[in-house]
């Protein structure tokens, strides 16, 4: 994973969001290899230092600022999940296991949509001052559209990846992914 990520970063161009993502992946891979836990904000700080070392001007680029700000928000959001007692977690897991397939699916989709909406709202709030200052835009539609467009956007990203992977190996399958 580390080698492929590094090759990808070198192939596409060394823009700040690519450097940030690459450093985060490399730190996570190194932590896994060393049997340690990768700390999110520390990894993000390391990525900022690498961007700063490559070209200090990039830290004043609005794209880089939005990229780092959103990732910091998502790292913070991921750490805010309630961590109840072990007995509460075990009980909740047992309840979920005994719901039945349809009810289990509905509960998981409901939790996913709520989490997605909360994360989208957090990112909107975090980026709003910067977007308003730089682009003079105040858009409330992003709060709703983030959740609504998540599924089609994910499908388009996955189908684009399918074109990349299957286009040379199996052209009809690549064509199908491109059609999607």
């Amino acid at each position: 994973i580390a080698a492929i990520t590094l090759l990808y970063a070198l192939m596409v161009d060394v823009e700040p969001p690519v450097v940030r993502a690459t450093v985060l992946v490399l730190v996570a891979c190194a932590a896994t290899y060393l049997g340690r836990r990768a700390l999110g904000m520390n990894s993000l700080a390391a990525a900022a230092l690498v961007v700063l070392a490559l070209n200090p001007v990039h830290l004043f680029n609005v794209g880089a600022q939005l990229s780092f700000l959103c990732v910091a928000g998502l790292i913070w959001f991921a750490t805010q999940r309630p961590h109840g007692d072990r007995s509460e977690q075990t009980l909740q897991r047992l309840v979920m296991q005994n719901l039945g397939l349809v009810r289990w699916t509905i509960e998981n989709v409901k939790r996913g949509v709520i989490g997605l909406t909360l994360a989208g709202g957090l990112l909107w709030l975090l980026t709003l001052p910067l977007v308003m200052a730089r682009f003079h835009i105040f858009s409330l539609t992003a709060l709703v559209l983030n959740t609504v467009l998540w599924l089609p956007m994910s499908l388009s990203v996955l189908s684009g990846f399918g074109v990349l992977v299957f286009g040379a190996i199996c052209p009809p399958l690549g064509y199908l992914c491109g059609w999607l």
Side-chain angles (χ1 to χ4, degrees):
I1 292 173
I4 290 172
T5 304
L6 196 56
L7 287 174
Y8 175 77
L10 293 173
M11 182 179 73
V12 296
D13 199 9
V14 189
E15 292 295 318
V18 175
V19 172
R20 177 206 34 86
T22 303
V23 170
L24 288 176
V25 169
L26 293 177
V27 167
C29 289
T32 302
Y33 179 74
L34 296 172
R36 296 187 164 264
R37 200 174 125 225
L39 300 175
M41 290 297 186
N42 290 351
S43 303
L44 191 60
L49 289 174
V50 170
V51 169
L52 181 67
L54 290 176
N55 189 351
V57 174
H58 282 311
L59 289 181
F60 299 103
N61 180 347
V62 70
Q65 292 171 353
L66 286 171
S67 174
F68 277 94
L69 188 60
C70 286
V71 172
L74 289 174
I75 290 170
W76 178 84
F77 184 76
T79 61
Q80 298 306 308
R81 293 180 302 183
H83 302 297
D85 276 355
R86 275 265 207 239
S87 58
E88 288 179 27
Q89 291 175 356
T90 304
L91 182 61
Q92 184 64 27
R93 192 178 72 244
L94 287 173
V95 167
M96 288 296 288
Q97 287 176 350
N98 292 317
L99 285 179
L101 182 62
V102 173
R103 182 73 192 263
W104 180 84
T105 303
I106 290 170
E107 285 297 317
N108 277 336
V109 168
K110 183 174 79 172
R111 285 182 181 184
V113 168
I114 289 170
L116 184 65
T117 304
L118 289 174
L122 172 69
L123 294 183
W124 181 80
L125 280 173
L126 284 174
T127 59
L128 182 64
L130 184 59
V131 169
M132 286 179 60
R134 298 289 176 98
F135 302 112
H136 310 292
I137 295 174
F138 177 78
S139 174
L140 288 172
T141 58
L143 288 169
V144 176
L145 290 178
N146 282 341
T147 304
V148 173
L149 293 177
W150 174 79
L151 187 61
M153 190 169 47
S154 297
L155 181 64
S156 70
V157 168
L158 290 174
S159 64
F161 184 70
V163 169
L164 181 67
V165 170
F166 299 119
I169 299 170
C170 180
L173 194 54
Y175 176 77
L176 176 66
C177 290
W179 180 82
L180 285 175

